[in-house]
Amino acid sequence: MEKKQDGTKIVQALLEELGFGSDEVEKLETIPYSTLAEAYNKVSPALAKQGEYIGGNPIPNEFYVGDPREVGFTEHAKTIPVMAGTVFGEFAFGPAIAGKYSLPDSEKKKMLEEKYGEHTEQLIQLFTAAYPEKDLSDLLFLDSMFRAPTRDFIEKKSAHPEAPTFSYLFTFEFPYDDGHVAWHCAEIPFVFHNADKVPVCNLPGVSDRLEDQVFSAWINFARNGDPSGPALPQWPACKPGDEAVMIFDKKCEVKHNFDAALISLHDKVAPKFNFAASDEPVQH
């Protein structure tokens, strides 16, 4: 008989970890989020290994067979065009580095060493090769928590030629706070063509053009399953071993596998974002 996955096990494990009885579920509402998150991080890995549902993903059923990166794609899913991507600094919600363009590189390297330790120099080399136009301090805010699994998904989906798979990365620097990297969902005003309603999005002579390019890509994809169009450079579909990434920035361009080595290393060595605490990443 198929195991019923309804979240009961994770709730009971949380209650036990926090010292509550099995009938005191309502007390979870009184726990500070940071404490609750710490308890979840402690008990969830073991339950996940047992095949228990720990939240955060759909429960496999007759319509959803599971994470395609793990179980593969259904015959129907193989026929659906996909456009997948992320932004440069998913968790860069806090302030940027004040005066980052006037700050000496030596100071930036000190900050990088505090975050990345012995891996700093290698990351710097890979970062400057992938992003020659970006400031060194932006490496502090680089995301791989979303970017790495997205690259993995794109690689596996593009192995099926039944429908194309397109990759994008939104790397626009917002003109405030001395230059702020794109954070989670920062592309949304551009997608819906209402960036003029968001003051921090507006960079004269640049953001209007970028807005038209992003908006047209989403509209084209919705209509045709292909984001390509006259507003953008030629945007090829990805192929196995060749991630053709549309970079949405002051200048939109396609780059091939440009950050693969950087993201691979960053995903292994960077401190993981602490959802419980604000802007300060911590090592799990």
Side-chain angles (χ1 to χ4, degrees):
M1 180 179 294
E2 184 179 354
K3 181 183 292 186
K4 182 180 179 181
Q5 295 185 318
D6 58 6
T8 301
K9 293 286 188 178
I10 185 64
V11 173
Q12 291 298 326
L14 284 171
L15 290 170
E16 182 177 348
E17 175 66 23
L18 293 167
F20 298 139
S22 60
D23 59 347
E24 296 181 293
V25 176
E26 69 281 356
K27 289 192 175 180
L28 292 178
E29 298 179 352
T30 69
I31 299 299
Y33 182 78
S34 58
T35 303
L36 192 62
E38 184 178 356
Y40 174 86
N41 288 336
K42 186 173 181 179
V43 303
S44 59
L47 289 175
K49 288 182 179 179
Q50 297 170 20
E52 299 290 347
Y53 180 66
I54 61 172
N57 293 301
I59 299 174
N61 54 33
E62 63 270 26
F63 302 107
Y64 172 71
V65 298
D67 184 343
R69 295 182 301 129
E70 298 176 359
V71 302
F73 295 85
T74 65
E75 292 306 310
H76 177 61
K78 294 175 185 178
T79 67
I80 300 175
V82 168
M83 182 170 67
T86 61
V87 303
F88 179 92
E90 288 283 354
F91 302 108
F93 303 120
I97 302 300
K100 70 178 185 180
Y101 287 111
S102 59
L103 196 68
D105 279 355
S106 58
E107 292 299 316
K108 297 171 187 177
K109 288 182 179 180
K110 286 181 181 179
M111 290 186 284
L112 290 168
E113 287 170 352
E114 288 179 6
K115 182 171 185 177
Y116 299 120
E118 62 182 316
H119 306 286
T120 301
E121 284 300 325
Q122 188 176 1
L123 284 169
I124 288 175
Q125 292 177 11
L126 293 171
F127 178 78
T128 53
Y131 293 98
E133 73 285 358
K134 296 296 183 186
D135 187 77
L136 185 60
S137 65
D138 291 340
L139 178 53
L140 290 165
F141 304 101
L142 179 70
D143 164 68
S144 58
M145 184 175 175
F146 281 24
R147 175 74 175 130
T150 300
R151 290 193 72 254
D152 184 34
F153 172 86
I154 289 168
E155 171 72 13
K156 288 172 177 166
K157 176 63 169 62
S158 64
H160 301 286
E162 293 88 336
T165 301
F166 299 92
S167 175
Y168 76 88
L169 188 63
F170 189 81
T171 63
F172 179 65
E173 179 181 273
F174 286 77
Y176 85 103
D177 207 8
D178 290 329
H180 202 297
V181 303
W183 57 93
H184 182 67
C185 289
E187 77 271 40
I188 295 299
F190 296 84
V191 171
F192 287 96
H193 209 279
N194 58 10
D196 61 305
K197 305 295 191 298
V198 187
V200 300
C201 291
N202 292 282
L203 185 63
V206 175
S207 53
D208 287 350
R209 181 178 67 252
L210 177 59
E211 180 180 50
D212 289 341
Q213 291 172 312
V214 172
F215 177 73
S216 69
W218 261 254
I219 290 296
N220 290 338
F221 183 78
R223 288 174 174 169
N224 312 313
D226 186 337
S228 303
L232 286 167
Q234 184 178 4
W235 188 349
C238 297
K239 298 178 181 179
D242 179 17
E243 184 194 12
V245 190
M246 176 61 75
I247 307 297
F248 286 111
D249 209 319
K250 294 177 181 179
K251 176 185 177 183
C252 294
E253 58 183 325
V254 172
K255 297 183 178 181
H256 296 261
N257 299 324
F258 80 106
D259 65 345
L262 170 64
I263 293 301
S264 177
L265 177 61
H266 190 273
D267 188 45
K268 293 175 183 176
V269 305
K272 302 304 180 184
F273 182 79
N274 180 10
F275 289 92
S278 73
D279 310 318
E280 192 65 29
V282 296
Q283 189 77 44
H284 286 310

